[in-house]
Amino acid sequence: MNKLSLSVPLSLLCLSAFSTEATTYITAKAMLDVNNGKLISTPLIQIDNGVITQVSTGNLPTLQQGDEHIQLPELTIMPGLMDMHVHLTSDPTVPRSDRIGQSIPRQAIKAAYFAQKTLNAGFTTVRNVGAQGYSVIAVRDGINAGDIIGPRIWAAGPSLGVTGGHCDNNRLPPEMKYTAEGVADGPWAVRAKVRENIKYGANAIKFCATGGVFSKGTKVGIQQYSLEEMTAIVDEAHMRGLTVAAHAHGTSGITAAIKAGVDSVEHVSFVDDEAIKLAKKHGTWFSMDIYNTEYTLTYGEQNGVAQENLEKERQVSKKQRDSFRRAVDAGVNMVFGTDAAIYPHGDNAKQFSRMVEFGMSPLQAIQSATINSAKLLKVEDKLGQLKVGFAADIIAVKGNPLNDVTLLENVSFVMKAGTVY
């Protein structure tokens, strides 16, 4: 019989992960029910084969030979967090001009490193919305095979975009004749690109509906793909059972993406009342990265971000936060998406406090990163809650995050699928 107490500092758990085929029990000071915001005292969770098989309160486990009892007497447990907009291959401290010379294998190694940092920060599931060379798909498969450590990953493969648009690479001279691998123009060409991404393992699709902050020579709010092209992308992906994310800062691009049937719109900087009404009508999810602007405007210049991109960030930042508040007040579906890579991976939870500052309750912010994100991914019956039949993705913090959401920036305990890290 093994008895593991985690009421002391968790330094040992930083050295290695462990799992067992025997039953694992977790007891804690409290458990947050993310559905209703109730804090439940003295929970007992039973875990078998990585799945929660029993949840009760006020009890102690009856241990059999080989069982584990994880005791967290000073901590509050809750579901693992989910970030719906990350780029694991990208490092904000490396100038974009230097990234051009990075090979796909080098990017995959970066992604593996950042994946582990992200998991250790309490994010047990992420959606990687764009990476070169199917690199993050390889990382995802390596995590699933147990070769490396990281969160569950929904990986989109290369982002689709128009020639010369935000998802192309406009930093090289014309004589090099370089086009980003996700570029496709026209309804049938974009369908073919979706099929190619799926062929090489994508389990999500992302396209660029408008210009962006960090691309060269694009205007943030200007629509790029036509409604016809967007509809073809969404139709092809949905026919194959994949969800679709649309990068869209500008109003017309946001509106067209919603009309095309996307599952989520990313950034949503310049939104109007029509787009908000359409999002509510269609049940579209908004994923709005309202923290990273602070990092960019503070550290961007020393990290080699070009003045063109810094100026675009200044144009977007306040507008996006105003749009966030309006979307929250209107009751639009919202998920947690940070654009991690624009700021350091592992700092994902710093966005929670900004979401509260700009209109959400702490519970709404937490729900965006748990039950809402699970709904977007269509796994709400498996992830995002601590319930029987759900994956044992569990984190713990000291205190009540409903009273102080910044507690989520210092996660003390991380379990994914019954394995403790």
Side-chain angles (χ1 to χ4, degrees):
M1 180 173 70
N2 296 320
K3 187 175 181 181
L4 173 65
S5 176
L6 299 183
S7 59
V8 296
L10 303 175
S11 57
L12 288 177
L13 296 183
C14 298
L15 300 177
S16 63
F18 65 88
S19 61
T20 175
E21 294 183 0
T23 297
T24 299
Y25 297 92
I26 298 178
T27 53
K29 180 179 181 180
M31 176 179 74
L32 177 61
D33 185 330
V34 296
N35 266 309
N36 56 28
K38 290 183 178 178
L39 207 63
I40 300 166
S41 298
T42 61
L44 169 64
I45 294 184
Q46 179 178 325
I47 299 161
D48 293 283
N49 299 313
V51 175
I52 297 171
T53 51
Q54 185 176 334
V55 179
S56 61
T57 61
N59 299 317
L60 290 174
T62 301
L63 300 179
Q64 305 298 322
Q65 183 68 32
D67 289 349
E68 301 282 357
H69 180 196
I70 300 172
Q71 299 182 67
L72 307 171
E74 298 179 359
L75 301 181
T76 299
I77 59 174
M78 58 183 289
L81 301 171
M82 307 170 77
D83 190 336
M84 295 295 97
H85 192 123
V86 303
H87 298 278
L88 291 171
T89 54
S90 296
D91 183 343
T93 66
V94 177
R96 288 174 183 266
S97 56
D98 293 347
R99 296 182 204 175
I100 293 173
Q102 286 186 348
S103 67
I104 299 304
R106 180 71 181 97
Q107 291 181 48
I109 290 170
K110 279 272 193 181
Y113 171 70
F114 289 136
Q116 185 166 356
K117 287 193 70 170
T118 302
L119 177 62
N120 288 341
F123 286 80
T124 53
T125 300
V126 300
R127 184 177 60 162
N128 198 88
V129 283
Q132 289 181 281
Y134 306 97
S135 48
V136 174
I137 290 172
V139 171
R140 178 202 66 197
D141 293 348
I143 291 168
N144 292 345
D147 302 330
I148 54 178
I149 292 171
R152 286 183 178 79
I153 297 177
W154 268 255
S159 298
L160 277 66
V162 302
T163 298
H166 179 64
C167 288
D168 199 356
N169 186 335
N170 304 326
R171 299 177 187 276
L172 296 171
E175 58 267 24
M176 294 190 71
K177 301 186 185 302
Y178 180 83
T179 298
E181 61 194 317
V183 168
D185 300 305
W188 283 109
V190 297
R191 282 184 181 272
K193 188 59 66 173
V194 170
R195 293 169 183 175
E196 184 177 282
N197 277 17
I198 295 172
K199 174 182 179 179
Y200 294 117
N203 56 348
I205 295 295
K206 185 265 189 84
F207 69 87
C208 290
T210 74
V213 171
F214 285 91
S215 51
K216 181 180 178 181
T218 70
K219 295 181 180 180
V220 176
I222 300 301
Q223 183 174 336
Q224 293 182 347
Y225 270 128
S226 68
L227 176 58
E228 185 182 11
E229 290 169 311
M230 295 186 204
T231 302
I233 293 169
V234 173
D235 181 62
E236 189 67 39
H238 283 177
M239 186 166 59
R240 303 288 293 277
L242 276 66
T243 57
V244 183
H247 159 109
H249 284 284
T251 306
S252 64
I254 295 167
T255 301
I258 296 170
K259 289 179 177 178
V262 297
D263 299 279
S264 68
V265 184
E266 315 299 303
H267 310 302
V268 203
S269 298
F270 307 110
V271 73
D272 64 3
D273 291 342
E274 180 192 358
I276 286 174
K277 289 177 183 177
L278 276 174
K280 291 188 68 177
K281 177 182 177 181
H282 289 265
T284 311
W285 297 91
F286 282 0
S287 170
M288 302 177 71
D289 50 323
I290 60 168
Y291 165 71
N292 62 40
T293 184
E294 297 170 33
Y295 180 87
T296 298
L297 296 181
T298 302
Y299 299 104
E301 190 167 359
Q302 75 181 51
N303 287 344
V305 177
Q307 285 302 315
E308 173 195 355
N309 306 118
L310 292 174
E311 182 54 35
K312 287 195 282 186
E313 181 61 51
R314 294 184 188 101
Q315 294 170 15
V316 164
S317 55
K318 185 180 184 304
K319 289 287 189 181
Q320 187 189 36
R321 289 174 167 186
D322 290 343
S323 294
F324 178 85
R325 188 186 297 277
R326 290 171 58 219
V328 171
D329 289 346
V332 175
N333 290 338
M334 305 287 282
V335 293
F336 188 90
T338 64
D339 213 356
I342 302 302
Y343 68 94
H345 295 279
D347 285 352
N348 310 57
K350 289 184 177 181
Q351 181 165 289
F352 284 111
S353 64
R354 305 310 187 271
M355 297 172 87
V356 172
E357 179 181 352
F358 293 100
M360 281 189 172
S361 69
L363 179 60
Q364 285 177 310
I366 291 169
Q367 287 174 334
S368 77
T370 52
I371 55 177
N372 290 4
S373 290
K375 288 176 183 176
L376 168 60
L377 296 177
K378 304 187 187 306
V379 289
E380 64 268 31
D381 59 340
K382 298 180 180 67
L383 300 177
Q385 300 182 60
L386 301 186
K387 293 176 63 175
V388 172
F390 281 61
D393 291 3
I394 302 171
I395 64 170
V397 295
K398 190 170 185 178
N400 182 355
L402 296 180
N403 294 335
D404 180 4
V405 78
T406 65
L407 294 175
L408 298 175
E409 298 173 21
N410 296 286
V411 171
S412 302
F413 171 86
V414 179
M415 168 183 280
K416 188 191 85 171
T419 297
V420 179
Y421 296 92

